[in-house]
Amino acid sequence: MSWIDDPAFAPDAPFGPQTLPYGVVSGAEGTAPAVRVGDHALPLRSIAGSFPQRLRDVVVCESLDPLLAAGRPVWAQLRERISELVTAASAPAGAELLPLPEVTVELPFTVGDYVDFYSSRHHAENVSAILRPDAAGLAPNWTHLPVGYHGRAGTVRVSGTVVTRPCGQLAEGEFGPTARLDVEAEVGFVCGGPVRSRVAADEVADHVFGAVLLNDWSARDIQAWEYRPLGPLLSKSFATSVSGWVTPLDALDAARITPPAAEQELVAYLRAEQPWGLQLDLELRCNGTLLSRPPFALMGWTPAQQLAHLTVNGATVRPGDLFASGTVSGPQRHHRGCFLELTWGGGEPVTLDDGAQRTFCEDGDTVVITATAPGAGGSVVGLAEVAGTVGPAPC
Amino acid sequence: MSWIDDPAFAPDAPFGPQTLPYGVVSGAEGTAPAVRVGDHALPLRSIAGSFPQRLRDVVVCESLDPLLAAGRPVWAQLRERISELVTAASAPAGAELLPLPEVTVELPFTVGDYVDFYSSRHHAENVSAILRPDAAGLAPNWTHLPVGYHGRAGTVRVSGTVVTRPCGQLAEGEFGPTARLDVEAEVGFVCGGPVRSRVAADEVADHVFGAVLLNDWSARDIQAWEYRPLGPLLSKSFATSVSGWVTPLDALDAARITPPAAEQELVAYLRAEQPWGLQLDLELRCNGTLLSRPPFALMGWTPAQQLAHLTVNGATVRPGDLFASGTVSGPQRHHRGCFLELTWGGGEPVTLDDGAQRTFCEDGDTVVITATAPGAGGSVVGLAEVAGTVGPAPC
């Protein structure tokens, strides 16, 4: 029985000892990397007294940046050491246990480059049918490579940050607050380890530290007007929200599955020996109402393929780079990860539990994405929520 | 007569006292911010003895990052102080003057987000005609907003860095080295000052520190296959080259001109009171042969409009963010800023001075972009070259 007296840290709870995500918290004692144990944050500097120097170096600081840079052997060693300490019968000397409501959870790392993919086939097909009904269907490249684009790293915000409704050009000559503010339920992957190019798909675990949930806020009217021919820019760049806690890739070992089969032989660099699909079950809520349960297991491209693709041209990946899956959607209506699909372009409103209807987000709406994954020994691993409330436009 | 005995520092030379671009050089004494005086680098720490503390703080360091963050009042004060010192009759105590061949010029700042625009009408029209002959012409949004996309900040490289030919998917099922490696002659703008959103067009000088020349290397075959519907990714992300010396915006005062008139009334945030067109005359060379003279004065969108657009949706701009003009082209063949246009999609090779023909870059080719602008009192301001040599593909 652990010294941590928190029912949310029980082995059958989503943030029990099988999970141990990393974040950065601010409180009376300053800002520090921490591990989440149930509904508490355990600042790592408070248990680092017994750590070997190379572990102490990456936790006595103010962000996860040194840990991300340290690479996989350090990640494994640190997780093992923390696991021992938090499951011990008595507390290590000096350990501080901070209830989550008493700390501020910060954006835990410096975002390098941010790339957003488009890897749910159901999402891509639905968007095409909604936005380009005359030419519906996947682009011919979709089944051959993970389509994606660079997003704005400087506006990645931690869960809980208010998302101000953006203003912009909504159509020819029309300027104002977006009338079609949408969310996209996604999973993001946080890179670490040595700077590298041409990462093989099967090397992904050496270059991905962990996963976050991600909301790729999108202004659909701005997007439809701006995106030809170079893709989305202002329709996405105002904010991208991520979980404050990064789930280590090692915590998702039991969630690894074989992804859906490719439709044809893939080019060599996109073929992996190991299974890198992930059984992550997302839930998307607006003001408490469950809107959908997007199934990550059905994604057409895995994070291993995405990272291999990103670097096959010689582009480097560095610690802090972030890449995301694209909206997670599935074949059923209750699998759809954004309002655009759920309301089929705004034509079929959804009804919230309080009777209110929504086509897109209204000011004051709070959107929350959560997820769970199978853990070792029948346990459940929780991915920390990403939440955001819509603030009114300034224009 | 200045104490700096370098004919390239004469008032009628492009890197004379009217220019004074900033860079970062490494030599026997370590890595330090410097100002370029003719064909020499003057490390700023070597003349900082007489500086007030707030100027010393931004130059006694290893990059231009603190200077970029310091903001316009500091930029103006530093330029004035340096100008006095380099035009004085005798050298300040301790001043080190390093011949450029004896130093390594580093990437001078940490690139935040990198956005590339598409603001030459002639380029956009030519590309459309070459790549989409069935549907040629500008997209309807082009005359209403500066179209752009995020590029990869982590692969921005300083002038002189070898650019390895990228491998990738060239078409359905086809993988290999790009056969259509292109260049794009552009001007980049380096941001600084306080983190801000909704920057007004007329505030651009408070948030742009200076200009660089930029080569947006592009793999046209990879681009054509990957870009639908989210824009270019791997066709651009392998490398973007920039000048090692950043020309302060203040050095371009005499180059400011009224840009070409918009075709229709623009939305308010894109209207500027002050003229932010720039009379920059670029030259694009391959292996010493002058390929073209792209005229920046004809660009359809100014840096002031680009920055206003980038931030109108609430997105923040931070020190180190970089945005570029897009390929600079004009109405004549000798104005075209990339091989795609110069050779009309590869169908009309150009002949180099040695008789060799090119449709796109070959291994070993060295591409150099230079530019000049009118300076104060009839002088000429040089923008430091951006050069790159193509290395063979690893695949």
Side-chain angles (χ1 to χ4, degrees):
Chain A
M1 170 100 188
S2 160
W3 60 275
I4 297 174
D5 181 23
D6 177 350
F9 189 60
D12 59 353
F15 294 98
Q18 73 283 9
T19 304
L20 299 175
Y22 295 100
V24 169
V25 297
S26 288
E29 307 287 318
T31 298
V35 67
R36 177 168 169 179
V37 287
D39 291 333
H40 290 79
L42 174 59
L44 292 174
R45 60 161 186 238
S46 78
I47 57 169
S50 67
F51 284 8
Q53 190 63 42
R54 76 169 184 163
L55 294 191
R56 205 151 46 218
D57 286 345
V58 299
V59 301
V60 181
C61 52
E62 296 206 329
S63 82
L64 299 184
D65 295 353
L67 177 58
L68 295 186
R72 184 157 178 72
V74 170
W75 305 339
Q77 197 186 351
L78 179 64
R79 183 167 161 84
E80 190 184 342
R81 191 79 192 97
I82 292 171
S83 183
E84 287 166 16
L85 291 174
V86 297
T87 54
S90 56
E96 300 167 57
L97 210 53
L98 310 174
L100 288 183
E102 294 176 19
V103 297
T104 302
V105 179
E106 310 285 355
L107 184 67
F109 60 98
T110 305
V111 182
D113 276 296
Y114 162 48
V115 168
D116 194 23
F117 284 98
Y118 191 60
S119 291
S120 160
R121 180 180 189 125
H122 299 286
H123 172 70
E125 286 176 340
N126 286 341
V127 168
S128 173
I130 295 165
L131 299 185
R132 297 177 282 273
D134 296 342
L138 290 176
N141 56 16
W142 197 93
T143 56
H144 294 270
L145 55 84
V147 169
Y149 66 99
H150 280 97
R152 192 161 185 84
T155 51
V156 173
R157 309 298 184 196
V158 72
S159 178
T161 306
V162 168
V163 173
T164 301
R165 180 180 299 272
C167 299
Q169 292 194 36
L170 313 177
E172 183 171 332
E174 209 179 302
F175 180 86
T178 175
R180 293 163 72 91
L181 179 58
D182 203 353
V183 298
E184 295 195 332
E186 306 196 9
V187 179
F189 296 90
V190 180
C191 298
V195 173
R196 267 284 304 277
S197 65
R198 290 177 274 275
V199 177
D202 283 313
E203 293 178 306
V204 65
D206 292 334
H207 295 279
V208 168
F209 171 76
V212 290
L213 296 173
L214 184 146
N215 186 344
D216 175 33
W217 299 88
S218 301
R220 300 300 184 189
D221 35 19
I222 296 174
Q223 186 174 0
W225 174 232
E226 76 172 355
Y227 89 101
R228 284 196 174 92
L230 299 179
L233 180 61
L234 296 185
S235 54
K236 305 278 194 171
S237 66
F238 55 99
T240 304
S241 302
V242 294
S243 306
W245 299 95
V246 184
T247 307
L249 207 58
D250 283 342
L252 298 175
D253 257 354
R256 290 177 56 187
I257 54 172
T258 302
E263 273 176 50
Q264 71 277 310
E265 175 103 348
L266 296 175
V267 170
Y269 76 91
L270 292 171
R271 299 196 294 261
E273 296 291 315
Q274 303 165 36
W276 276 109
L278 290 169
Q279 178 73 46
L280 307 178
D281 297 303
L282 277 64
E283 297 191 338
L284 171 63
R285 286 184 172 74
C286 179
N287 299 341
T289 299
L290 181 66
L291 297 177
S292 64
R293 298 180 186 270
F296 193 84
L298 300 184
M299 297 300 279
W301 298 99
T302 69
Q305 291 170 314
Q306 291 167 339
L307 184 59
H309 186 62
L310 272 186
T311 58
V312 73
N313 67 344
T316 40
V317 60
R318 26 170 198 160
D321 284 352
L322 171 68
F323 63 94
S325 59
T327 309
V328 184
S329 290
Q332 306 295 321
R333 190 171 185 285
H334 68 274
H335 289 152
R336 297 176 185 164
C338 64
F339 278 111
L340 181 72
E341 291 171 86
L342 282 163
T343 69
W344 209 255
E348 304 168 12
V350 293
T351 303
L352 306 186
D353 291 346
D354 65 2
Q357 291 204 317
R358 287 290 181 278
T359 49
F360 291 96
C361 293
E362 298 195 359
D363 291 350
D365 282 353
T366 296
V367 174
V368 178
I369 305 162
T370 54
T372 55
S379 66
V380 171
V381 167
L383 277 79
E385 70 172 28
V386 57
T389 298
V390 177
C395 62
Chain B
M1 172 97 187
S2 160
W3 60 274
I4 298 173
D5 180 24
D6 178 349
F9 189 59
D12 59 353
F15 294 98
Q18 73 284 10
T19 305
L20 299 176
Y22 295 100
V24 169
V25 297
S26 289
E29 305 289 316
T31 298
V35 66
R36 177 167 170 181
V37 286
D39 291 333
H40 289 78
L42 175 58
L44 292 174
R45 60 158 186 239
S46 78
I47 57 169
S50 66
F51 284 8
Q53 189 64 43
R54 76 169 182 165
L55 295 190
R56 204 153 44 221
D57 286 346
V58 299
V59 301
V60 181
C61 51
E62 296 205 331
S63 82
L64 299 184
D65 295 353
L67 177 58
L68 296 186
R72 183 156 179 72
V74 170
W75 304 339
Q77 198 186 349
L78 180 63
R79 182 165 162 83
E80 191 185 337
R81 192 79 192 96
I82 292 172
S83 184
E84 288 166 15
L85 291 175
V86 297
T87 54
S90 57
E96 301 168 53
L97 210 52
L98 310 174
L100 288 182
E102 294 177 18
V103 297
T104 302
V105 179
E106 309 285 354
L107 183 67
F109 60 98
T110 306
V111 182
D113 275 296
Y114 163 49
V115 169
D116 195 23
F117 285 100
Y118 191 58
S119 290
S120 160
R121 180 179 188 125
H122 300 286
H123 172 69
E125 286 175 341
N126 286 341
V127 168
S128 173
I130 295 164
L131 299 185
R132 294 176 284 275
D134 298 340
L138 290 175
N141 56 14
W142 196 94
T143 56
H144 293 271
L145 55 82
V147 170
Y149 65 99
H150 280 96
R152 192 162 186 84
T155 52
V156 173
R157 308 297 185 199
V158 72
S159 177
T161 307
V162 169
V163 173
T164 301
R165 180 180 298 273
C167 301
Q169 290 193 38
L170 312 177
E172 182 170 334
E174 210 179 299
F175 179 87
T178 175
R180 293 163 74 90
L181 179 59
D182 203 352
V183 299
E184 295 195 334
E186 306 196 12
V187 179
F189 296 90
V190 181
C191 298
V195 174
R196 266 285 303 280
S197 65
R198 290 177 276 274
V199 177
D202 284 313
E203 294 179 304
V204 66
D206 292 335
H207 295 279
V208 169
F209 172 77
V212 290
L213 297 174
L214 183 145
N215 187 345
D216 175 33
W217 299 88
S218 302
R220 300 300 184 189
D221 35 17
I222 296 173
Q223 186 174 359
W225 173 232
E226 75 172 355
Y227 89 101
R228 284 198 175 90
L230 299 179
L233 180 61
L234 295 185
S235 54
K236 306 277 194 170
S237 67
F238 56 97
T240 304
S241 301
V242 295
S243 307
W245 299 95
V246 185
T247 307
L249 207 57
D250 284 343
L252 298 175
D253 257 354
R256 290 175 56 187
I257 54 172
T258 302
E263 273 175 50
Q264 71 275 311
E265 176 103 348
L266 296 175
V267 169
Y269 77 90
L270 292 171
R271 300 197 293 260
E273 294 291 315
Q274 302 165 36
W276 277 109
L278 289 170
Q279 180 71 48
L280 306 179
D281 297 303
L282 277 63
E283 296 191 338
L284 171 64
R285 286 181 172 76
C286 178
N287 299 342
T289 298
L290 181 66
L291 298 178
S292 63
R293 297 181 187 270
F296 193 83
L298 300 184
M299 297 299 278
W301 298 98
T302 69
Q305 291 171 314
Q306 290 166 341
L307 185 59
H309 185 63
L310 271 186
T311 58
V312 72
N313 66 344
T316 40
V317 60
R318 27 168 198 161
D321 284 352
L322 171 69
F323 63 93
S325 59
T327 309
V328 184
S329 289
Q332 307 295 323
R333 189 171 185 286
H334 67 274
H335 289 152
R336 297 175 186 163
C338 64
F339 277 111
L340 181 72
E341 291 172 85
L342 282 163
T343 69
W344 210 254
E348 304 168 13
V350 293
T351 303
L352 305 186
D353 291 347
D354 65 1
Q357 293 205 315
R358 288 289 181 280
T359 48
F360 291 96
C361 293
E362 297 194 0
D363 290 351
D365 282 353
T366 296
V367 174
V368 178
I369 305 163
T370 54
T372 55
S379 66
V380 169
V381 168
L383 277 81
E385 71 172 27
V386 56
T389 298
V390 176
C395 61

